[in-house]
Amino acid sequence: GVTAALTQAGIAVIKPDYRGHGQSQGVPEGGHFSPVYTYDDMNLISSIAQTPALSLNPNRLGTLGHSLGAHTSLRVAVVNPNIKATAYLSGVVGSIDDILYNWPFSPMPGDMPARVQANRETLLAKYGTPKTNPDFWGSVSAINYVGNITGASQIQHSTNDSTVPKLFSDKLDTALKSANKSVEYYTYPGNDHQLSTNATLVNSRLVSFFSTHLQ
């Protein structure tokens, strides 16, 4: 898997359990209409410098996220100038407008936890929709802040991904290039949200990317 490929290349990997997931305490709130998973990532990143026993260099930090995790990674990248490299795999990396209106096979509202649904409905009731209040929803869309990113970016997505549309990655690639940021964008044929069909090439590109930028 991805973790094995990176660690075999000498790149240390720390995998978070977000609140309410795995063995972590708290309530899961989802990563699109709540900032708390971003807080969890930021706290984990901060703990690296505060935990010398890990023997990790806090000045050589990169993040990698898949699907929802890519959205969280984008949020981290635009607020944390210490991130040297971020990889987005099959990412939900469009604007909130895209998430609400350009996601044909979105799992919302069908199978998302009630807390996630409540967060979304509360925000929509308070601020209106991206159609009626584009300024607010634009202000909470991480893709609109890619000018703040200081590190490199790598995007990977299957062309016919029916779980998360490639359109999201297209828009992130365009936004990064418009902001004159370093970005690599790789696409693969077929409908493979997990990128498993091309795993060897995906992992090779990830290893090369992080090895280059985490110097």
Side-chain angles (χ1 to χ4, degrees):
V2 171
T3 300
L6 292 173
T7 55
Q8 288 170 10
I11 300 169
V13 177
I14 299 177
K15 297 174 65 176
D17 277 337
Y18 294 127
R19 63 187 69 192
H21 295 261
Q23 301 300 311
S24 295
Q25 297 177 340
V27 177
E29 295 193 19
H32 306 314
F33 297 95
S34 168
V36 297
Y37 292 175
T38 306
Y39 299 160
D40 293 341
D41 273 353
M42 294 289 284
N43 285 332
L44 177 60
I45 290 168
S46 296
S47 73
I48 293 173
Q50 300 170 12
T51 313
L54 291 174
S55 299
L56 300 178
N57 188 340
N59 297 314
R60 297 171 64 187
L61 296 172
T63 62
L64 183 158
H66 172 263
S67 199
L68 181 151
H71 189 182
T72 305
S73 292
L74 177 59
R75 287 176 163 176
V76 171
V78 302
V79 298
N80 190 333
N82 298 317
I83 303 300
K84 306 298 185 186
T86 303
Y88 308 93
L89 306 182
S90 308
V92 185
V93 290
S95 65
I96 298 296
D97 184 89
D98 288 320
I99 290 171
L100 286 171
Y101 301 118
N102 293 318
W103 194 350
F105 301 100
S106 170
M108 300 177 292
D111 62 356
M112 285 291 182
R115 182 64 175 266
V116 178
Q117 303 289 1
N119 286 342
R120 183 188 62 175
E121 296 308 316
T122 296
L123 288 169
L124 289 170
K126 183 175 182 180
Y127 296 104
T129 71
K131 305 297 187 188
T132 62
N133 191 358
D135 289 344
F136 170 76
W137 290 103
S139 74
V140 297
S141 296
I143 193 171
N144 292 329
Y145 297 91
V146 296
N148 294 338
I149 292 177
T150 56
S153 298
Q154 184 187 83
I155 305 168
Q156 302 200 47
H157 213 126
S158 294
T159 56
N160 294 312
D161 186 340
S162 63
T163 302
V164 175
K166 173 179 166 287
L167 171 69
F168 291 0
S169 287
D170 292 344
K171 289 193 172 185
L172 178 60
D173 178 57
T174 297
L176 288 164
K177 287 176 178 174
S178 295
N180 296 315
K181 300 299 179 179
S182 171
V183 56
E184 306 170 5
Y185 187 16
Y186 301 106
T187 61
Y188 306 91
N191 169 21
D192 182 10
H193 183 56
Q194 303 299 328
L195 299 170
S196 55
T197 303
N198 295 282
T200 300
L201 182 54
V202 169
N203 292 343
S204 174
R205 285 169 167 167
L206 288 171
V207 168
S208 176
F209 173 68
F210 286 115
S211 297
T212 297
H213 294 287
L214 299 185
Q215 299 296 330

